[in-house]
């Protein structure tokens, strides 16, 4: 089995975050044991998309699936939203004047109409900013690396690591309240030290926007996903990326720019090594 070489940032919400009908649907889904483990989900999604074929006459017919974990008051759900996400991407491309020629070449009128009808998609969240029409999904995906801003949410002691012959896993899970607090703290330090327009500050602000739309009793998960199969055993065990980010932020808060720069360079060097492996394939 070849896994996608990607990492994931997910939000798992309690059933209270959904409408009554959807909450009941997800409750049955969880009770019947239909949820697919996060380690297998990306492969399942990829296979279903391949089996669906090209976007010729309709969107891929992929049903509602989700990752489910146990919470103190019941299941916590992170919907896949594959079909509505594809619909949103198709609708965005089809309605963009800049991409009109590309849209006509790859998107049939039937698919464009269906994508528009699907709309924002089941269980999508939206920013409180009324000018923001883009849906905010439960899962972010990053190929061949883990974005720096994701590490702002977690701490080294929250790591879960499994390295065996048939299973490799590295992930962090943290309560939403802690993730938000850490995100706001990181943004405040970056804003004060580097300025509001610095790319790191902007990315931290975008992460906070994503975190704030979910239920306060949610769980945030940073999952190395398929990257756990790319990295060596020693690399996985020694990976201290969250600590490097925290060290850099602490140094920035103290006005120690050289130490902050060294921590950031160590982090970039580590993930530059991983991203170079994409080119070797």
């Amino acid at each position: 089995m070849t896994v996608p070489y990607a990492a994931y940032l997910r939000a798992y919400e309690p059933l209270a975050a959904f409408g009554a009908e959807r909450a009941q649907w997800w409750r049955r889904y969880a009770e019947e044991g239909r949820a697919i483990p996060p380690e297998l989900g990306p492969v399942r999604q990829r296979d279903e998309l391949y089996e669906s074929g090209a976007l010729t006459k309709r969107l891929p017919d992929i049903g509602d699936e989700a990752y489910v974990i146990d919470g103190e008051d019941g299941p916590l759900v992170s919907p896949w939203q594959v079909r509505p996400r594809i619909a949103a991407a198709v609708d965005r491309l089809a309605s963009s004047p800049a991409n009109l020629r590309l849209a006509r070449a790859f998107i049939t009128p039937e698919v464009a109409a269906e994508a528009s009808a699907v709309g924002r998609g089941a269980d999508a969240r939206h920013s409180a900013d009324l000018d923001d029409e883009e849906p905010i999904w439960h899962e972010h995906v990053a190929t061949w690396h883990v974005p720096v801003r994701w590490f702002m949410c977690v701490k080294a002691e929250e790591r879960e690591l499994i390295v065996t012959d048939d299973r490799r896993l590295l992930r962090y899970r943290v309560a939403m309240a802690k993730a938000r607090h850490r995100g706001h703290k990181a943004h405040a330090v970056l804003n004060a030290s580097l300025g509001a327009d610095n790319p790191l500050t902007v990315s931290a602000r975008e992460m906070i926007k994503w975190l704030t739309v979910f239920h306060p009793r949610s769980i945030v998960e940073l999952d190395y996903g398929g990257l756990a199969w790319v990295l060596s055993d020693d690399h996985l065990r020694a990976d201290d990326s969250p600590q490097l980010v925290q060290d850099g932020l602490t140094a920035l808060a103290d006005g120690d720019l050289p130490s902050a720069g060294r921590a950031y360079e160590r982090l970039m060097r580590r993930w530059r090594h991983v991203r170079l492996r994409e080119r070797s394939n």
Side-chain angles (χ1 to χ4, degrees), residues 145-165:
H145 77 296
V146 179
V148 174
R149 63 182 179 274
W150 293 8
F151 292 119
M152 298 176 188
C153 296
V154 301
K155 289 192 174 182
E157 58 266 26
E158 293 158 347
R159 182 176 73 167
E160 180 181 353
L161 175 65
I162 299 174
V163 180
T164 65
D165 291 340

Side-chain angles (χ1 to χ4, degrees), residues 41 54 82 172 226 251:
V82 176
Y172 301 82

Side-chain angles (χ1 to χ4, degrees), residues 72-122:
E72 294 182 358
D73 300 317
L76 299 169
V77 179
S78 182
W80 287 6
Q81 306 162 301
V82 176
R83 192 167 186 270
R85 292 180 77 153
I86 293 174
V90 168
D91 191 43
R92 186 165 55 248
L93 179 63
S95 60
S96 171
N99 296 312
L100 186 59
R101 185 174 299 177
L102 182 64
R104 286 176 176 172
F106 291 98
I107 300 173
T108 65
E110 295 88 349
V111 171
E114 185 180 7
S116 180
V118 169
R120 291 182 169 186

Side-chain angles (χ1 to χ4, degrees), residues 134-274:
E134 286 294 315
I136 298 179
W137 309 104
H138 285 75
E139 181 181 69
H140 282 296
V141 183
T143 56
W144 289 99
H145 77 296
V146 179
V148 174
R149 63 182 179 274
W150 293 8
F151 292 119
M152 298 176 188
C153 296
V154 301
K155 289 192 174 182
E157 58 266 26
E158 293 158 347
R159 182 176 73 167
E160 180 181 353
L161 175 65
I162 299 174
V163 180
T164 65
D165 291 340
D166 56 1
R167 191 181 182 202
R168 301 175 70 83
L169 179 149
L170 196 163
R171 70 184 175 205
Y172 301 82
R173 284 178 178 169
V174 58
M176 178 61 76
K178 289 184 178 180
R180 288 178 181 173
H181 174 74
R182 293 167 185 172
H184 281 290
K185 185 176 179 180
H187 178 262
V189 170
L190 293 168
N191 188 62
S193 303
L194 305 179
D197 296 330
N198 183 276
L200 284 174
T201 308
V202 173
S203 66
R205 186 162 60 244
E206 291 174 347
M207 183 188 65
I208 292 171
K209 175 183 174 182
W210 180 77
L211 292 170
T212 54
V213 302
F214 297 105
H215 194 282
R217 295 202 309 274
S218 299
I219 294 291
V220 178
E221 177 181 77
L222 193 169
D223 181 4
Y224 274 44
L227 298 184
W229 292 93
V230 175
L231 304 174
S232 68
D233 294 1
D234 290 341
H235 193 142
L236 286 174
R237 294 191 176 101
D239 187 90
D240 60 348
S241 297
Q243 189 60 53
L244 289 175
V245 170
Q246 294 303 317
D247 291 346
L249 289 170
T250 299
L252 279 178
D254 293 339
D256 186 354
L257 295 183
S259 294
R262 286 192 293 272
Y264 183 74
E265 178 54 32
R266 283 183 60 194
L267 182 69
M268 291 297 99
R269 188 163 56 246
R270 170 170 296 158
W271 288 101
R272 191 180 302 121
H273 168 74
V274 178

Side-chain angles (χ1 to χ4, degrees), residues 15 18-31:
L15 298 180
F18 303 92
E21 184 176 344
R22 291 298 291 170
Q24 183 61 30
W25 198 96
W26 287 126
R27 184 182 298 279
R28 290 196 303 268
Y29 180 88
E31 290 174 349

